[in-house]
Amino acid sequence: MPRLSTRTRLATVSALTALGALASLGTATAAEPTLNGEWAPFTRCPVDHPAMLTADGFDRTPQCVVSTSARGSIKLGDTTVVTGRTSLQMGVVQNGDGTSTVVAPDSGALVAEPATVPGGLLGLMCPSDIFVITGICKSLENSSLNKITATMESVGAPYAFDQTAGALTDLPIVALPVRIHLENPLLGSKCYIGTAADPIVLRPENRDYPAFGMSFFQGDGTPDPAGEMSRIDLTGAPQNDSTFAVPAATGCGLNVGLINAAVNAKTGLPSAAGHNSLTLENTQTHLTGLNAPGTAAPDAGRILAENWHSAVG
């Protein structure tokens, strides 16, 4: 098999680096607001979404839900990545027939810190018997271009939310469609595992009973045993899901076909259900809404939104 010359390898890396630098330019995410008192965790609740605003408090009851974890891990095929902080936030409308409607914030239900992929690109797609990839691998040795991060992103609203499952064990709490964004100059800006059309669907379950807490507060977040708002806290439980399938990586690099093939071959993607897992440690879940929503009918959604805005500092 012919070998790539040093000039060819450097030209390839330079071209891909330039592409990655251009593709990485984007708009910054707006800062989340600071909320007073008991409202503090609910920084992205979509209280102004029409489905929330029109919830009457009788047939449709509006709530805000947030679940965070400071650390965890996710195994995709043959690759395991230690994750940083994850924050799932959503609005939930509890319907009179026992079902629920989930409303995602404009920024997406899930916001997660980028995680560093062990071994970088060398670990993700090298060694390889693909001619062009072999040359890139040699150029990556001892290079700062080797580092790669993976960020989990929402692709569509969560669904199948089960409030009762959040207080129990071994029951799916919510279905969360996501994709994994792999970022490195050589991969370009559109390298993903999972897509909007073919997402990874996570269904986390508690593996231990969470601690239960409940508090009451005024509309602006000030603690008050006689307040019109209530908050449920379910904290400390580890969560896990090992039921999801993982599709192949797509959109990676200038020569998409070759780099996709190298990444998928090395990481074992696509990967069927039962060969992947997600673990979230020490989850902190909070749910809030009007304490007696029926007394606010038909304006429960509007009042919830007014209360949320009154708590913004």
Side-chain angles (χ1 to χ4, degrees):
M1 178 180 294
R3 299 177 60 187
L4 288 180
S5 68
T6 300
R7 177 178 296 177
T8 301
R9 294 200 304 269
L10 291 176
T12 302
V13 172
S14 297
L16 289 172
T17 302
L19 174 69
L22 290 173
S24 67
L25 298 177
T27 57
T29 302
E32 294 181 8
T34 299
L35 272 67
N36 178 56
E38 298 295 285
W39 272 114
F42 304 94
T43 54
R44 295 189 295 116
C45 186
V47 293
D48 296 319
H49 189 282
M52 295 283 284
L53 285 173
T54 59
D56 57 13
F58 183 66
D59 291 322
R60 290 166 293 127
T61 302
Q63 300 172 323
C64 297
V65 177
V66 55
S67 185
T68 61
S69 172
R71 57 193 175 276
S73 64
I74 185 167
K75 179 179 181 292
L76 307 174
D78 298 329
T79 300
T80 299
V81 177
V82 175
T83 62
R85 180 176 175 81
T86 58
S87 174
L88 172 65
Q89 295 206 37
M90 55 192 180
V92 175
V93 177
Q94 299 289 357
N95 302 313
D97 61 2
T99 63
S100 63
T101 302
V102 178
V103 181
D106 290 339
S107 58
L110 182 70
V111 173
E113 291 180 350
T116 301
V117 177
L121 273 183
L122 285 170
L124 193 68
M125 67 181 191
C126 304
S128 174
D129 58 4
I130 300 174
F131 174 52
V132 174
I133 304 301
T134 300
I136 295 176
C137 290
K138 291 180 179 178
S139 299
L140 287 172
E141 294 176 1
N142 300 317
S143 170
S144 60
L145 293 175
N146 186 44
K147 182 179 179 181
I148 181 171
T149 60
T151 307
M152 191 180 299
E153 303 174 351
S154 290
V155 282
Y159 57 93
F161 175 71
D162 186 339
Q163 181 175 326
T164 302
L168 302 176
T169 63
D170 305 318
L171 292 173
I173 300 168
V174 67
L176 181 61
V178 301
R179 63 185 180 183
I180 310 295
H181 192 185
L182 301 176
E183 296 180 273
N184 173 280
L186 301 184
L187 297 179
S189 63
K190 298 180 179 179
C191 182
Y192 291 96
I193 300 173
T195 64
D198 186 19
I200 302 167
V201 181
L202 305 174
R203 294 178 172 85
E205 305 175 357
N206 289 329
R207 288 294 178 253
D208 198 358
Y209 289 100
F212 177 86
M214 189 170 187
S215 57
F216 300 91
F217 58 100
Q218 299 173 14
D220 68 354
T222 303
D224 182 351
E228 64 180 303
M229 299 289 298
S230 61
R231 171 175 143 179
I232 294 174
D233 302 316
L234 301 168
T235 59
Q239 294 182 353
N240 178 264
D241 178 23
S242 57
T243 65
F244 59 93
V246 180
T250 58
C252 302
L254 274 178
N255 195 325
V256 171
L258 291 179
I259 294 185
N260 284 342
V263 171
N264 290 326
K266 184 68 185 294
T267 57
L269 301 179
S271 180
H275 297 277
N276 317 290
S277 65
L278 168 73
T279 298
L280 299 173
E281 300 178 18
N282 191 29
T283 57
Q284 308 289 312
T285 301
H286 313 283
L287 183 149
T288 194
L290 295 169
N291 188 36
T295 63
D299 299 317
R302 179 182 59 79
I303 293 172
L304 181 72
E306 289 177 354
N307 287 350
W308 186 92
H309 284 287
S310 73
V312 176

